[in-house]
Amino acid sequence: MTLAHLLHLQGIESVVLESHTREYIENRVRAGVLEQGTAELLRESGVGERMDREGLQHNGIELRFGGAGHRIDFKELTGESITIYAQQEVIKDLIAARLGYGAPICFEAEALRVADVHAQPRIFYRQRGVEHVVACDFIAGCDGFHGICRPAIPADRLQIQERQYPFAWLGILARVPPASDELIYTYHERGFALMSMRSPEVSRLYLQCAPEEDIQNWPDDRIWEELRTRMATREGFALNDGPIFQKSITPMRGFAAEPMQYERLFLLGDAAHIVPPTGAKGLNLAIADVRVMTRGLVDIYKNGKRDGLANYTERCLKRVWKVQRFSAWMTAMLHRFENEGAFSHNIHLAELDYVTTSRAASTALAENYVGLPFDTPGLF
Ligand code: PHB
């Protein structure tokens, strides 16, 4: 949706095929943290008005361990901040903008296969039982990890790199005001816990759990109890409970496909890469791919550069691997791994102590969290 929006602003036509209904994607609970650059891109492209009104600007996060909290002050360390604004709200704003200027979105359009990506790409899709085809110059595969675009790249051209984590996140949404103004990332002997939010009335909380954990074993009381145990501080941190209206278990993995382009087919976001959620980077990394693709297409259509997308993979991957590194580092620092004894526990505590007391180390975390700079500033 973001890519289609930016292309529209540049006078480049696109067709959006969305497999779900509008209602489904406007309500599906996904990410919630926007890097400063992501928020700026939405603002500069004219879809940031509600985000600026309803989004929550955060100037830091808390790292909690050993029964005490330690703030990382993004604003002071980097001059930048993050915005808490749910992905489905971004989606609503982009849909409203696109329908507002009369550009098409094909909802409930199930992409079946792509063809002729060497010359005249086509996408076959089914909508309300009828098969259709779109012919185009380029295909942007923004179809997620399970989509059809990545498998359309010949297997002998594609390298997959993957890391499976031996844990998952149990996530909840609860109708209760957030227990703190800023996100709290907690390391505890019993495992990681995260307090995040969606609004002044809705908290989003996560607990590290086993990957094969059955959600049935987690009645609401047990979840609150475990969150309280892991997040407890010597100062007596109070976590109020409230009605839980969404519960889910998310496995954790790192994944990267290379190249991200084959002929006239391009992969963006989760179609090409997955990061563990500890760095809050998934949505932001997808938007970074969108920037590269938009610039390339603008070079091709407006600046007469036929090779405008020639370095697509290299340009995207530079950021992908930095973000994989940051996400893997945050994950390793904050989670308990299998068979960790007292030695490993002390390494976790020492690392957290270092990160929260060394200005250099705090700055390294902060500059990654708010979003690393782009080679070329500005929108296009
Ligand atoms: C969320 O609010 O869903 C969230 C926040 C920070 C993370 C991951 C998820 O690192």
Side-chain angles (χ1 to χ4, degrees):
M1 288 301 301
T2 309
L3 177 64
H5 176 60
L6 297 182
L7 293 177
H8 170 82
L9 296 181
Q10 293 294 310
I12 301 169
E13 196 188 341
S14 64
V15 175
V16 177
L17 302 180
E18 167 56 56
S19 62
H20 297 286
T21 63
R22 177 175 180 181
E23 201 204 348
Y24 178 85
I25 60 169
E26 288 191 343
N27 291 291
R28 180 165 51 162
V29 178
R30 306 293 294 277
V33 176
L34 307 182
E35 290 178 355
Q36 174 149 325
T38 302
E40 276 166 9
L41 180 142
L42 295 171
R43 196 174 291 128
E44 283 168 26
S45 68
V47 289
E49 194 208 318
R50 202 163 61 91
M51 173 190 75
D52 282 335
R53 224 172 338 115
E54 297 175 16
L56 309 169
Q57 195 193 319
H58 284 193
N59 293 330
I61 56 167
E62 180 181 322
L63 294 182
R64 186 172 287 187
F65 55 95
H70 308 261
R71 184 160 185 265
I72 308 281
D73 189 333
F74 297 159
K75 195 82 190 172
E76 199 245 328
L77 293 164
T78 69
E80 299 199 355
S81 58
I82 53 162
T83 303
I84 308 296
Y85 190 61
Q87 178 169 326
Q88 72 268 26
E89 303 306 320
V90 177
I91 288 286
K92 282 179 198 163
D93 298 341
L94 288 164
I95 291 174
R98 187 163 175 87
L99 297 179
Y101 46 67
I105 306 172
C106 306
F107 290 105
E108 293 177 83
E110 186 198 353
L112 302 170
R113 64 187 186 281
V114 302
D116 300 336
V117 296
H118 309 85
Q120 167 73 89
R122 282 175 297 155
I123 307 179
F124 293 85
Y125 68 97
R126 191 187 295 120
Q127 200 178 25
R128 288 179 215 99
V130 182
E131 218 177 277
H132 303 267
V133 60
V134 197
C136 53
D137 293 345
F138 299 99
I139 296 174
C142 309
D143 55 347
F145 184 70
H146 299 288
I148 61 160
C149 287
R150 191 180 62 252
I153 299 179
D156 61 356
R157 297 291 185 89
L158 205 60
Q159 268 190 52
I160 302 293
Q161 295 172 54
E162 211 169 353
R163 173 178 287 180
Q164 210 70 42
Y165 287 94
F167 39 76
W169 278 13
L170 190 166
I172 61 164
L173 277 170
R175 205 159 298 289
V176 61
S180 154
D181 289 342
E182 293 179 340
L183 272 61
I184 304 173
Y185 286 82
T186 305
Y187 168 79
H188 188 274
E189 266 184 291
R190 294 175 63 86
F192 171 76
L194 170 61
M195 195 232 53
S196 177
M197 64 208 67
R198 284 295 176 271
S199 71
E201 295 85 38
V202 174
S203 298
R204 178 88 168 130
L205 295 130
Y206 299 94
L207 281 171
Q208 175 185 351
C209 66
E212 66 283 356
E213 192 72 62
D214 183 353
I215 198 100
Q216 302 302 328
N217 294 333
W218 287 87
D220 297 7
D221 287 352
R222 182 177 174 205
I223 295 175
W224 290 115
E225 190 56 38
E226 190 63 31
L227 284 165
R228 279 196 196 97
T229 304
R230 295 189 193 179
M231 297 190 70
T233 61
R234 283 190 297 278
E235 287 181 349
F237 174 71
L239 184 66
N240 293 325
D241 46 289
I244 295 179
F245 59 95
Q246 206 256 3
K247 247 189 235 185
S248 59
I249 291 184
T250 319
M252 305 264 282
R253 68 165 158 247
F255 175 96
E258 193 177 331
M260 289 172 62
Q261 169 199 7
Y262 176 67
E263 302 288 346
R264 290 170 168 265
L265 169 67
F266 294 77
L267 303 179
L268 297 87
D270 286 11
H273 40 68
I274 301 281
V275 289
T278 327
K281 288 288 169 232
L283 176 157
N284 296 292
L285 193 53
I287 299 279
D289 296 342
V290 165
R291 276 179 202 264
V292 177
M293 178 122 194
T294 304
R295 275 178 203 277
L297 288 171
V298 168
D299 271 348
I300 289 170
Y301 288 109
K302 299 186 78 173
N303 304 331
K305 291 192 197 162
R306 287 185 53 146
D307 63 347
L309 280 164
N311 300 321
Y312 177 78
T313 290
E314 291 71 23
R315 286 162 76 184
C316 290
L317 280 184
K318 264 176 98 166
R319 191 176 189 86
V320 167
W321 282 108
K322 286 192 186 118
V323 168
Q324 288 284 7
R325 182 209 71 82
F326 175 65
S327 304
W329 173 71
M330 286 284 281
T331 302
M333 176 168 71
L334 288 161
H335 290 74
R336 288 287 284 182
F337 286 71
E338 283 160 338
N339 308 319
E340 281 193 349
F343 190 94
S344 299
H345 178 54
N346 281 309
I347 297 278
H348 281 287
L349 294 176
E351 179 154 31
L352 284 157
D353 185 25
Y354 174 60
V355 165
T356 51
T357 53
S358 151
R359 190 175 173 91
S362 306
T363 307
L365 189 156
E367 69 183 359
N368 279 275
Y369 203 101
V370 300
L372 292 172
F374 293 94
D375 309 347
T376 10
L379 241 188
F380 300 113

